[in-house]
Structures are given as structure tokens and as C-alpha cells.
Amino acid sequence: MRFLSVFAACFLATAVAADPSFWRHEWPDTDFKNTSITNWVEIMSGGPPKDGIPALSDPQFLRVADESKIDGIEPVITVELPGAKPRAYPIRYLTWHEIVNDKIGNVPVAVTFCPLCNSGLTFDRRVKGKVLSFGVSGKLRNSDMVMYDRETQSWWQQAIGTGIVGEMNGVELKQVASWMESWDQFKARNPDGIVMAEPPWNRSYGRNPYRGYDSSHRPFLYSGEMPPHGIPPLMRVVRVGDRAWPMDRLAQERKITEAGVTLTWEEGQASALDHGVISKGRDVGSVRVKDKQGRDLVHDVMFAFAFHAFWPDGKWMRGG
């Protein structure tokens, strides 16, 4: 498959089924007896070891007017919290780091992106009186990133924001409303906003190591059940709670109001998982999700296979 660049190919070379006894030498402070995992075959090594994909902490920011490296159609994760300047976290950086530990006003957040699921979620890092700092474990479950926190060495499932191994097993992170849109869209709405600056790491920022991935017929490092109703496994879906709206329906209708939410779609955002250069990716559009009062709702735009894996009894909103 074309997306298997040198970076992604290393995943295949070292992908093995996990077992607590095998991982204990790497995770001596993790309580593997406290877990919701019933079948350890679900946990796989993605290739890089613990922190092999380096999460970021305390990133630097630029004013919108001072940023010149990002193409207008490139995707960013937007976080807008009351009393703070709107912030954009470019996917060109998150592709290579996957987690950014930041603080917006008084709220410590973790902005996360799992390329293999296209899942971009933002979490409040305050848990049980602690402020956690998250890293990338190097493990995958249902092709989704397994995060860990440095304070308790617990493992967390990114797609559901829930602890799955260790002291924090079963604990749910509070999700902060955020969304993916293009850099141009962010700038037009937030000319006084700020954007995360390029990290001081030697990475090919702006390039996509998973070239052609979202045009593949099957997901990477995933052996679970495929989505029902003939929905392609790598079609993007908009997940709100346990409901999923297929992106092809939303792109056609452009606005959908049902189940107490309003979803809108507009063109102008490049796929980060298509062309080898993110700015040349095909247009997959941007989605906003709001409640009846017009407030931004917590949601995710993820691949259909991942929704089905983590919400097997979820409702597919396919329309009439």
C-alpha cells in the first residue's frame, strides 16, 4: 500500500501481540492486574517504543499574522475556550507527535491526534486531583493510539478517553470541545488567534508518512470486524456520543439537524492522510457540530472501522 513510507513501514516490522509479562520490563510501574483488557491480543506494538513518538509539552505559539509556513488548506485542531485566545494546533505537527500537553487559561489540556483512526480529540488533564501529563505508549488497540500518563504510568485509550490499564483503569477523561478545520478557516474566524509554532525537533513537518492511507481498502494493524451497512472502513464519520453520521451523507446534504444536534459541512480542508504532502491532500471538508443552543459539541471525525470497534452497538445515522 502506498501509505507505507519508511516511517510507517517500521510499524509492520515490529508489530507483535502484547502480553503483560512481555511489556512489564518496559513498564515496571504499571499495574497490569488492574485492567479492563480481557484479550491481550487486542494490544499490539505499533513499532516505536514508549516515547518513540515524542509527545510535546508547553508548546510555543505565534500570532496568526506571524505564521507563514502553513498552507491555507492544511488541517488544524481548533480549541476555543472562554477568556483565552483561540488556539490552532496544526496537524502537520501532530502527525509526528500525536499529543500536545498544553494549558489554555486555567485549563490543562491534552490535544491528541491518532493518524491511523483520524481521531482528533482534546481532553482536560485534571483527574482525581492530579494534573496528568500524557505520552505515546507505542501501543495500539483496534489501530488506535494507546496513551499513557507519566504520573501513574496508566494506559489510556485515545478514541474513548478512558483508562484501560493501571491505577486509572476505568477513569474517563473529560473531553473539551474542539474540531478540525483548515488553517484558512481558523484565520478567517480568529484573526487575533494564535497557532502552535513549529516544534524544535528534526521531523519532516508538512509531509504525510501515511501516504494514500485513507484510500486503502483495509485499516492498518486492525483485525476486528468491519463496519456494517456496506460502509467503507476508512470512510470518515462524525461521531457524537454513540451515533455516527457518514461523511458522504453530510457532504451531500451540507447541513443535518437530527437527534438534538446540528452538523454542518463546508469544503476547504485537506486530508492529512492522502498525498505525501499534507497541503496537496484532497479536500475532505470541515465539520462543525452544535447543540440546540448553538454551542459547540464534543465530537470526533474518525474512520468508520474505529467507530464500529469502540461502539459496536452504536447507531449509524445514514438518513432516509
Side-chain angles (χ1 to χ4, degrees), residues 196-224:
M196 188 173 79
E198 182 172 297
W201 288 79
N202 183 20
R203 297 291 187 273
S204 297
Y205 296 125
R207 298 199 65 84
N208 163 34
Y210 309 93
R211 182 176 180 178
Y213 179 53
D214 61 0
S215 298
S216 303
H217 296 296
R218 294 188 62 85
F220 186 46
L221 290 180
Y222 176 74
S223 58

PDB file of all heavy atoms in Angstrom, residues 196-224:
ATOM      1  N   MET A 196       0.122  27.089  17.235  1.00  0.00           N
ATOM      2  CA  MET A 196       1.307  26.425  17.767  1.00  0.00           C
ATOM      3  C   MET A 196       2.465  26.563  16.780  1.00  0.00           C
ATOM      4  O   MET A 196       2.304  26.305  15.583  1.00  0.00           O
ATOM      5  CB  MET A 196       1.022  24.942  18.035  1.00  0.00           C
ATOM      6  CG  MET A 196       2.155  24.232  18.772  1.00  0.00           C
ATOM      7  SD  MET A 196       1.740  22.530  19.255  1.00  0.00           S
ATOM      8  CE  MET A 196       1.964  21.670  17.697  1.00  0.00           C
ATOM      9  N   ALA A 197       3.613  26.960  17.284  1.00  0.00           N
ATOM     10  CA  ALA A 197       4.797  27.136  16.454  1.00  0.00           C
ATOM     11  C   ALA A 197       5.433  25.784  16.145  1.00  0.00           C
ATOM     12  O   ALA A 197       5.181  24.785  16.820  1.00  0.00           O
ATOM     13  CB  ALA A 197       5.800  28.038  17.166  1.00  0.00           C
ATOM     14  N   GLU A 198       6.276  25.770  15.124  1.00  0.00           N
ATOM     15  CA  GLU A 198       6.961  24.532  14.746  1.00  0.00           C
ATOM     16  C   GLU A 198       7.830  24.040  15.896  1.00  0.00           C
ATOM     17  O   GLU A 198       8.645  24.799  16.431  1.00  0.00           O
ATOM     18  CB  GLU A 198       7.823  24.746  13.508  1.00  0.00           C
ATOM     19  CG  GLU A 198       8.522  23.478  13.044  1.00  0.00           C
ATOM     20  CD  GLU A 198       9.210  23.652  11.699  1.00  0.00           C
ATOM     21  OE1 GLU A 198       8.504  23.903  10.706  1.00  0.00           O
ATOM     22  OE2 GLU A 198      10.452  23.572  11.669  1.00  0.00           O
ATOM     23  N   PRO A 199       7.676  22.773  16.310  1.00  0.00           N
ATOM     24  CA  PRO A 199       8.474  22.252  17.432  1.00  0.00           C
ATOM     25  C   PRO A 199       9.953  22.128  17.056  1.00  0.00           C
ATOM     26  O   PRO A 199      10.296  21.976  15.877  1.00  0.00           O
ATOM     27  CB  PRO A 199       7.860  20.861  17.684  1.00  0.00           C
ATOM     28  CG  PRO A 199       6.523  20.899  17.008  1.00  0.00           C
ATOM     29  CD  PRO A 199       6.688  21.809  15.834  1.00  0.00           C
ATOM     30  N   PRO A 200      10.834  22.164  18.040  1.00  0.00           N
ATOM     31  CA  PRO A 200      12.274  22.089  17.775  1.00  0.00           C
ATOM     32  C   PRO A 200      12.764  20.656  17.627  1.00  0.00           C
ATOM     33  O   PRO A 200      13.713  20.233  18.299  1.00  0.00           O
ATOM     34  CB  PRO A 200      12.875  22.773  19.010  1.00  0.00           C
ATOM     35  CG  PRO A 200      11.913  22.450  20.104  1.00  0.00           C
ATOM     36  CD  PRO A 200      10.543  22.458  19.466  1.00  0.00           C
ATOM     37  N   TRP A 201      12.123  19.895  16.765  1.00  0.00           N
ATOM     38  CA  TRP A 201      12.503  18.508  16.519  1.00  0.00           C
ATOM     39  C   TRP A 201      12.854  18.349  15.042  1.00  0.00           C
ATOM     40  O   TRP A 201      12.326  19.065  14.197  1.00  0.00           O
ATOM     41  CB  TRP A 201      11.361  17.550  16.868  1.00  0.00           C
ATOM     42  CG  TRP A 201      11.117  17.414  18.338  1.00  0.00           C
ATOM     43  CD1 TRP A 201      10.437  18.287  19.140  1.00  0.00           C
ATOM     44  CD2 TRP A 201      11.553  16.351  19.177  1.00  0.00           C
ATOM     45  NE1 TRP A 201      10.408  17.825  20.427  1.00  0.00           N
ATOM     46  CE2 TRP A 201      11.084  16.637  20.489  1.00  0.00           C
ATOM     47  CE3 TRP A 201      12.268  15.176  18.960  1.00  0.00           C
ATOM     48  CZ2 TRP A 201      11.327  15.793  21.564  1.00  0.00           C
ATOM     49  CZ3 TRP A 201      12.508  14.330  20.038  1.00  0.00           C
ATOM     50  CH2 TRP A 201      12.050  14.640  21.320  1.00  0.00           C
ATOM     51  N   ASN A 202      13.699  17.387  14.753  1.00  0.00           N
ATOM     52  CA  ASN A 202      14.085  17.110  13.369  1.00  0.00           C
ATOM     53  C   ASN A 202      13.063  16.169  12.749  1.00  0.00           C
ATOM     54  O   ASN A 202      13.236  14.944  12.771  1.00  0.00           O
ATOM     55  CB  ASN A 202      15.490  16.508  13.321  1.00  0.00           C
ATOM     56  CG  ASN A 202      15.970  16.264  11.899  1.00  0.00           C
ATOM     57  OD1 ASN A 202      15.445  16.862  10.957  1.00  0.00           O
ATOM     58  ND2 ASN A 202      16.949  15.392  11.725  1.00  0.00           N
ATOM     59  N   ARG A 203      11.992  16.723  12.244  1.00  0.00           N
ATOM     60  CA  ARG A 203      10.923  15.950  11.626  1.00  0.00           C
ATOM     61  C   ARG A 203      10.553  16.594  10.287  1.00  0.00           C
ATOM     62  O   ARG A 203      10.756  17.792  10.085  1.00  0.00           O
ATOM     63  CB  ARG A 203       9.679  15.892  12.523  1.00  0.00           C
ATOM     64  CG  ARG A 203       9.884  15.191  13.862  1.00  0.00           C
ATOM     65  CD  ARG A 203      10.106  13.703  13.681  1.00  0.00           C
ATOM     66  NE  ARG A 203      10.138  12.996  14.952  1.00  0.00           N
ATOM     67  CZ  ARG A 203      11.217  12.828  15.714  1.00  0.00           C
ATOM     68  NH1 ARG A 203      12.385  13.348  15.320  1.00  0.00           N
ATOM     69  NH2 ARG A 203      11.157  12.158  16.858  1.00  0.00           N
ATOM     70  N   SER A 204       9.985  15.794   9.407  1.00  0.00           N
ATOM     71  CA  SER A 204       9.577  16.294   8.085  1.00  0.00           C
ATOM     72  C   SER A 204       8.199  16.916   8.177  1.00  0.00           C
ATOM     73  O   SER A 204       7.217  16.430   7.591  1.00  0.00           O
ATOM     74  CB  SER A 204       9.598  15.153   7.054  1.00  0.00           C
ATOM     75  OG  SER A 204      10.893  14.639   6.897  1.00  0.00           O
ATOM     76  N   TYR A 205       8.099  18.006   8.934  1.00  0.00           N
ATOM     77  CA  TYR A 205       6.812  18.650   9.136  1.00  0.00           C
ATOM     78  C   TYR A 205       6.208  19.099   7.804  1.00  0.00           C
ATOM     79  O   TYR A 205       6.888  19.678   6.963  1.00  0.00           O
ATOM     80  CB  TYR A 205       6.964  19.843  10.075  1.00  0.00           C
ATOM     81  CG  TYR A 205       7.411  19.465  11.471  1.00  0.00           C
ATOM     82  CD1 TYR A 205       8.540  20.028  12.051  1.00  0.00           C
ATOM     83  CD2 TYR A 205       6.686  18.537  12.219  1.00  0.00           C
ATOM     84  CE1 TYR A 205       8.943  19.692  13.334  1.00  0.00           C
ATOM     85  CE2 TYR A 205       7.082  18.178  13.497  1.00  0.00           C
ATOM     86  CZ  TYR A 205       8.208  18.759  14.050  1.00  0.00           C
ATOM     87  OH  TYR A 205       8.604  18.409  15.328  1.00  0.00           O
ATOM     88  N   GLY A 206       4.930  18.803   7.661  1.00  0.00           N
ATOM     89  CA  GLY A 206       4.230  19.113   6.423  1.00  0.00           C
ATOM     90  C   GLY A 206       4.102  17.921   5.499  1.00  0.00           C
ATOM     91  O   GLY A 206       3.293  17.939   4.572  1.00  0.00           O
ATOM     92  N   ARG A 207       4.876  16.883   5.780  1.00  0.00           N
ATOM     93  CA  ARG A 207       4.775  15.656   4.978  1.00  0.00           C
ATOM     94  C   ARG A 207       3.902  14.635   5.707  1.00  0.00           C
ATOM     95  O   ARG A 207       3.784  14.639   6.930  1.00  0.00           O
ATOM     96  CB  ARG A 207       6.152  15.068   4.682  1.00  0.00           C
ATOM     97  CG  ARG A 207       7.046  15.989   3.866  1.00  0.00           C
ATOM     98  CD  ARG A 207       8.183  15.237   3.201  1.00  0.00           C
ATOM     99  NE  ARG A 207       7.714  14.281   2.196  1.00  0.00           N
ATOM    100  CZ  ARG A 207       7.431  14.581   0.936  1.00  0.00           C
ATOM    101  NH1 ARG A 207       7.560  15.826   0.507  1.00  0.00           N
ATOM    102  NH2 ARG A 207       7.024  13.662   0.095  1.00  0.00           N
ATOM    103  N   ASN A 208       3.313  13.736   4.934  1.00  0.00           N
ATOM    104  CA  ASN A 208       2.425  12.697   5.451  1.00  0.00           C
ATOM    105  C   ASN A 208       3.086  11.338   5.287  1.00  0.00           C
ATOM    106  O   ASN A 208       3.194  10.840   4.160  1.00  0.00           O
ATOM    107  CB  ASN A 208       1.082  12.750   4.700  1.00  0.00           C
ATOM    108  CG  ASN A 208       0.273  11.471   4.875  1.00  0.00           C
ATOM    109  OD1 ASN A 208       0.311  10.851   5.926  1.00  0.00           O
ATOM    110  ND2 ASN A 208      -0.444  11.086   3.836  1.00  0.00           N
ATOM    111  N   PRO A 209       3.537  10.704   6.366  1.00  0.00           N
ATOM    112  CA  PRO A 209       4.181   9.395   6.251  1.00  0.00           C
ATOM    113  C   PRO A 209       3.204   8.253   5.972  1.00  0.00           C
ATOM    114  O   PRO A 209       3.631   7.118   5.768  1.00  0.00           O
ATOM    115  CB  PRO A 209       4.867   9.216   7.606  1.00  0.00           C
ATOM    116  CG  PRO A 209       4.043  10.018   8.542  1.00  0.00           C
ATOM    117  CD  PRO A 209       3.554  11.202   7.753  1.00  0.00           C
ATOM    118  N   TYR A 210       1.908   8.557   5.964  1.00  0.00           N
ATOM    119  CA  TYR A 210       0.885   7.529   5.721  1.00  0.00           C
ATOM    120  C   TYR A 210       0.229   7.758   4.359  1.00  0.00           C
ATOM    121  O   TYR A 210      -0.990   7.678   4.213  1.00  0.00           O
ATOM    122  CB  TYR A 210      -0.175   7.576   6.827  1.00  0.00           C
ATOM    123  CG  TYR A 210       0.396   7.536   8.221  1.00  0.00           C
ATOM    124  CD1 TYR A 210       0.677   8.712   8.906  1.00  0.00           C
ATOM    125  CD2 TYR A 210       0.659   6.332   8.850  1.00  0.00           C
ATOM    126  CE1 TYR A 210       1.209   8.691  10.185  1.00  0.00           C
ATOM    127  CE2 TYR A 210       1.184   6.292  10.128  1.00  0.00           C
ATOM    128  CZ  TYR A 210       1.462   7.480  10.791  1.00  0.00           C
ATOM    129  OH  TYR A 210       1.990   7.448  12.049  1.00  0.00           O
ATOM    130  N   ARG A 211       1.021   8.020   3.374  1.00  0.00           N
ATOM    131  CA  ARG A 211       0.508   8.405   2.053  1.00  0.00           C
ATOM    132  C   ARG A 211      -0.497   7.389   1.519  1.00  0.00           C
ATOM    133  O   ARG A 211      -0.250   6.179   1.498  1.00  0.00           O
ATOM    134  CB  ARG A 211       1.666   8.539   1.067  1.00  0.00           C
ATOM    135  CG  ARG A 211       1.235   8.982  -0.311  1.00  0.00           C
ATOM    136  CD  ARG A 211       2.419   9.194  -1.230  1.00  0.00           C
ATOM    137  NE  ARG A 211       2.003   9.628  -2.547  1.00  0.00           N
ATOM    138  CZ  ARG A 211       2.833   9.921  -3.528  1.00  0.00           C
ATOM    139  NH1 ARG A 211       4.139   9.826  -3.334  1.00  0.00           N
ATOM    140  NH2 ARG A 211       2.370  10.305  -4.706  1.00  0.00           N
ATOM    141  N   GLY A 212      -1.637   7.900   1.088  1.00  0.00           N
ATOM    142  CA  GLY A 212      -2.674   7.057   0.496  1.00  0.00           C
ATOM    143  C   GLY A 212      -3.461   6.225   1.487  1.00  0.00           C
ATOM    144  O   GLY A 212      -4.292   5.412   1.085  1.00  0.00           O
ATOM    145  N   TYR A 213      -3.249   6.456   2.787  1.00  0.00           N
ATOM    146  CA  TYR A 213      -3.882   5.578   3.773  1.00  0.00           C
ATOM    147  C   TYR A 213      -5.401   5.641   3.732  1.00  0.00           C
ATOM    148  O   TYR A 213      -6.076   4.613   3.786  1.00  0.00           O
ATOM    149  CB  TYR A 213      -3.373   5.922   5.175  1.00  0.00           C
ATOM    150  CG  TYR A 213      -3.994   5.070   6.267  1.00  0.00           C
ATOM    151  CD1 TYR A 213      -3.962   3.684   6.187  1.00  0.00           C
ATOM    152  CD2 TYR A 213      -4.615   5.651   7.373  1.00  0.00           C
ATOM    153  CE1 TYR A 213      -4.529   2.896   7.172  1.00  0.00           C
ATOM    154  CE2 TYR A 213      -5.175   4.873   8.363  1.00  0.00           C
ATOM    155  CZ  TYR A 213      -5.139   3.506   8.266  1.00  0.00           C
ATOM    156  OH  TYR A 213      -5.701   2.736   9.241  1.00  0.00           O
ATOM    157  N   ASP A 214      -5.962   6.848   3.643  1.00  0.00           N
ATOM    158  CA  ASP A 214      -7.418   6.924   3.721  1.00  0.00           C
ATOM    159  C   ASP A 214      -8.110   6.554   2.408  1.00  0.00           C
ATOM    160  O   ASP A 214      -9.325   6.672   2.290  1.00  0.00           O
ATOM    161  CB  ASP A 214      -7.887   8.281   4.240  1.00  0.00           C
ATOM    162  CG  ASP A 214      -7.471   9.446   3.366  1.00  0.00           C
ATOM    163  OD1 ASP A 214      -6.805   9.209   2.340  1.00  0.00           O
ATOM    164  OD2 ASP A 214      -7.810  10.602   3.703  1.00  0.00           O
ATOM    165  N   SER A 215      -7.322   6.083   1.427  1.00  0.00           N
ATOM    166  CA  SER A 215      -7.903   5.495   0.220  1.00  0.00           C
ATOM    167  C   SER A 215      -7.733   3.983   0.210  1.00  0.00           C
ATOM    168  O   SER A 215      -8.082   3.320  -0.768  1.00  0.00           O
ATOM    169  CB  SER A 215      -7.241   6.090  -1.030  1.00  0.00           C
ATOM    170  OG  SER A 215      -7.472   7.479  -1.106  1.00  0.00           O
ATOM    171  N   SER A 216      -7.183   3.438   1.280  1.00  0.00           N
ATOM    172  CA  SER A 216      -6.955   1.996   1.362  1.00  0.00           C
ATOM    173  C   SER A 216      -8.270   1.251   1.581  1.00  0.00           C
ATOM    174  O   SER A 216      -9.264   1.826   2.039  1.00  0.00           O
ATOM    175  CB  SER A 216      -5.996   1.687   2.514  1.00  0.00           C
ATOM    176  OG  SER A 216      -4.780   2.374   2.374  1.00  0.00           O
ATOM    177  N   HIS A 217      -8.252  -0.027   1.253  1.00  0.00           N
ATOM    178  CA  HIS A 217      -9.456  -0.848   1.436  1.00  0.00           C
ATOM    179  C   HIS A 217      -9.568  -1.396   2.846  1.00  0.00           C
ATOM    180  O   HIS A 217     -10.651  -1.718   3.313  1.00  0.00           O
ATOM    181  CB  HIS A 217      -9.476  -1.997   0.429  1.00  0.00           C
ATOM    182  CG  HIS A 217      -9.563  -1.546  -1.001  1.00  0.00           C
ATOM    183  ND1 HIS A 217     -10.660  -0.876  -1.495  1.00  0.00           N
ATOM    184  CD2 HIS A 217      -8.684  -1.647  -2.022  1.00  0.00           C
ATOM    185  CE1 HIS A 217     -10.462  -0.591  -2.779  1.00  0.00           C
ATOM    186  NE2 HIS A 217      -9.268  -1.038  -3.116  1.00  0.00           N
ATOM    187  N   ARG A 218      -8.424  -1.514   3.522  1.00  0.00           N
ATOM    188  CA  ARG A 218      -8.429  -2.057   4.875  1.00  0.00           C
ATOM    189  C   ARG A 218      -7.577  -1.179   5.781  1.00  0.00           C
ATOM    190  O   ARG A 218      -6.572  -0.631   5.361  1.00  0.00           O
ATOM    191  CB  ARG A 218      -7.881  -3.489   4.909  1.00  0.00           C
ATOM    192  CG  ARG A 218      -8.733  -4.515   4.176  1.00  0.00           C
ATOM    193  CD  ARG A 218      -8.214  -5.927   4.432  1.00  0.00           C
ATOM    194  NE  ARG A 218      -8.264  -6.292   5.829  1.00  0.00           N
ATOM    195  CZ  ARG A 218      -9.347  -6.802   6.437  1.00  0.00           C
ATOM    196  NH1 ARG A 218     -10.459  -6.973   5.740  1.00  0.00           N
ATOM    197  NH2 ARG A 218      -9.316  -7.106   7.709  1.00  0.00           N
ATOM    198  N   PRO A 219      -7.980  -1.062   7.062  1.00  0.00           N
ATOM    199  CA  PRO A 219      -7.166  -0.296   8.003  1.00  0.00           C
ATOM    200  C   PRO A 219      -5.885  -1.034   8.370  1.00  0.00           C
ATOM    201  O   PRO A 219      -5.757  -2.244   8.161  1.00  0.00           O
ATOM    202  CB  PRO A 219      -8.077  -0.148   9.222  1.00  0.00           C
ATOM    203  CG  PRO A 219      -9.099  -1.218   9.092  1.00  0.00           C
ATOM    204  CD  PRO A 219      -9.243  -1.530   7.638  1.00  0.00           C
ATOM    205  N   PHE A 220      -4.952  -0.287   8.911  1.00  0.00           N
ATOM    206  CA  PHE A 220      -3.621  -0.778   9.249  1.00  0.00           C
ATOM    207  C   PHE A 220      -3.611  -1.349  10.669  1.00  0.00           C
ATOM    208  O   PHE A 220      -4.158  -0.757  11.592  1.00  0.00           O
ATOM    209  CB  PHE A 220      -2.660   0.400   9.130  1.00  0.00           C
ATOM    210  CG  PHE A 220      -1.217   0.062   9.301  1.00  0.00           C
ATOM    211  CD1 PHE A 220      -0.654  -1.026   8.670  1.00  0.00           C
ATOM    212  CD2 PHE A 220      -0.405   0.876  10.079  1.00  0.00           C
ATOM    213  CE1 PHE A 220       0.692  -1.308   8.812  1.00  0.00           C
ATOM    214  CE2 PHE A 220       0.939   0.609  10.222  1.00  0.00           C
ATOM    215  CZ  PHE A 220       1.487  -0.489   9.593  1.00  0.00           C
ATOM    216  N   LEU A 221      -3.000  -2.517  10.839  1.00  0.00           N
ATOM    217  CA  LEU A 221      -2.884  -3.158  12.144  1.00  0.00           C
ATOM    218  C   LEU A 221      -4.235  -3.265  12.851  1.00  0.00           C
ATOM    219  O   LEU A 221      -4.391  -2.912  14.021  1.00  0.00           O
ATOM    220  CB  LEU A 221      -1.879  -2.422  13.031  1.00  0.00           C
ATOM    221  CG  LEU A 221      -0.401  -2.552  12.621  1.00  0.00           C
ATOM    222  CD1 LEU A 221       0.486  -1.780  13.570  1.00  0.00           C
ATOM    223  CD2 LEU A 221       0.032  -4.012  12.576  1.00  0.00           C
ATOM    224  N   TYR A 222      -5.212  -3.757  12.100  1.00  0.00           N
ATOM    225  CA  TYR A 222      -6.558  -3.923  12.637  1.00  0.00           C
ATOM    226  C   TYR A 222      -7.104  -5.260  12.169  1.00  0.00           C
ATOM    227  O   TYR A 222      -7.118  -5.544  10.971  1.00  0.00           O
ATOM    228  CB  TYR A 222      -7.465  -2.793  12.155  1.00  0.00           C
ATOM    229  CG  TYR A 222      -8.911  -2.931  12.589  1.00  0.00           C
ATOM    230  CD1 TYR A 222      -9.283  -2.694  13.901  1.00  0.00           C
ATOM    231  CD2 TYR A 222      -9.903  -3.296  11.674  1.00  0.00           C
ATOM    232  CE1 TYR A 222     -10.605  -2.807  14.307  1.00  0.00           C
ATOM    233  CE2 TYR A 222     -11.232  -3.403  12.059  1.00  0.00           C
ATOM    234  CZ  TYR A 222     -11.579  -3.159  13.376  1.00  0.00           C
ATOM    235  OH  TYR A 222     -12.893  -3.281  13.765  1.00  0.00           O
ATOM    236  N   SER A 223      -7.555  -6.076  13.107  1.00  0.00           N
ATOM    237  CA  SER A 223      -8.086  -7.393  12.762  1.00  0.00           C
ATOM    238  C   SER A 223      -9.526  -7.555  13.219  1.00  0.00           C
ATOM    239  O   SER A 223     -10.064  -8.655  13.211  1.00  0.00           O
ATOM    240  CB  SER A 223      -7.227  -8.496  13.391  1.00  0.00           C
ATOM    241  OG  SER A 223      -7.170  -8.344  14.810  1.00  0.00           O
ATOM    242  N   GLY A 224     -10.161  -6.447  13.613  1.00  0.00           N
ATOM    243  CA  GLY A 224     -11.531  -6.524  14.105  1.00  0.00           C
ATOM    244  C   GLY A 224     -12.553  -6.562  12.999  1.00  0.00           C
ATOM    245  O   GLY A 224     -12.243  -6.611  11.804  1.00  0.00           O
TER     246      GLY A 224
END
